[in-house]
Amino acid sequence: MKRKLIFIGGIHGAGKSTLCKKLISELKIPHYSASELITRAQKGLYTKNKTVKNVTKNQDVLLVALNEFVDEPCILLDGHFALFDAKQKVQQIPVETFASIEPIAMCVLTSDIELILERIAARDGIQHDKSAYEALSDSELANAKSVAKRLNIPLFIHDTNNDILELTQFISSNLE
């Protein structure tokens, strides 16, 4: 049986974890974080000193982790459509990654950049450049739309300031 995976994307600080906690309460399906799966897989695949600096290779690790650690028939997976690389340049996650994880539907979170930067500062104690995060956010949304179109997958754009009712209905309808 093919896994039903709903991908929830958004830049750092967009509110993916917070939103997914609300969604799992409503939908009663498990939630995984791509970054946590990647970290878990790297512990088994790489020595302590080796890090993955290449965005594409990091996504390959995600695919291994999904196959290794996830066996539920329906899941929410949060992650990114774009990331900063080691040189702080915006890199879009390749469409091939999404083709490999085979989401049945996707959501991308949007929010005010000032609010996102406040969240990150409160959570991590780090101040980030607003223009860099605006570029990351623009790339995240553009790549989400591109991936959805190329893979013919439904996409829901969710502003984190809005109620989750429509998003919950979107996900539920795609899980049926």
Side-chain angles (χ1 to χ4, degrees), residues 3-7 66 73-75 77 101-105 175:
R3 173 177 37 228
K4 293 183 177 180
L5 184 149
I6 307 291
F7 187 82
L66 273 171
C74 298
I75 67 165
L77 176 66
I101 65 173
E102 300 179 302
I104 60 169
L175 289 175

Side-chain angles (χ1 to χ4, degrees), residues 54-71:
N54 181 296
V55 170
T56 302
K57 287 183 183 175
N58 215 36
Q59 300 316 301
D60 293 340
V61 174
L62 171 61
L63 299 176
V64 169
L66 273 171
N67 291 327
E68 179 75 21
F69 304 120
V70 179
D71 59 4

Side-chain angles (χ1 to χ4, degrees), residues 159-174:
D159 183 321
T160 58
N161 293 316
N162 294 340
D163 183 87
I164 67 166
L165 179 62
E166 286 183 47
L167 175 57
T168 304
Q169 291 170 341
F170 169 80
I171 293 171
S172 293
S173 70
N174 281 285

Side-chain angles (χ1 to χ4, degrees), residues 107-122:
C107 170
V108 63
L109 304 185
T110 62
S111 190
D112 178 70
I113 296 299
E114 291 286 344
L115 178 60
I116 287 172
L117 293 176
E118 287 172 17
R119 287 178 189 154
I120 294 171

Side-chain angles (χ1 to χ4, degrees), residues 81-157:
F81 289 99
L83 289 166
F84 290 121
D85 66 13
K87 296 179 182 178
Q88 292 297 306
K89 301 262 187 216
V90 175
Q91 297 291 320
Q92 292 186 333
I93 304 301
V95 68
E96 294 81 11
T97 296
F98 296 98
S100 296
I101 65 173
E102 300 179 302
I104 60 169
M106 300 184 304
C107 170
V108 63
L109 304 185
T110 62
S111 190
D112 178 70
I113 296 299
E114 291 286 344
L115 178 60
I116 287 172
L117 293 176
E118 287 172 17
R119 287 178 189 154
I120 294 171
R123 181 185 71 197
D124 303 333
I126 300 170
Q127 299 292 325
H128 290 282
D129 179 64
K130 182 179 176 182
S131 63
Y133 268 73
E134 287 171 336
L136 181 62
S137 181
D138 291 346
S139 186
E140 181 89 9
L141 182 57
N143 198 34
K145 290 177 180 179
S146 175
V147 167
K149 184 176 181 178
R150 287 189 59 194
L151 298 180
N152 195 28
I153 299 171
L155 175 68
F156 190 93
I157 299 169

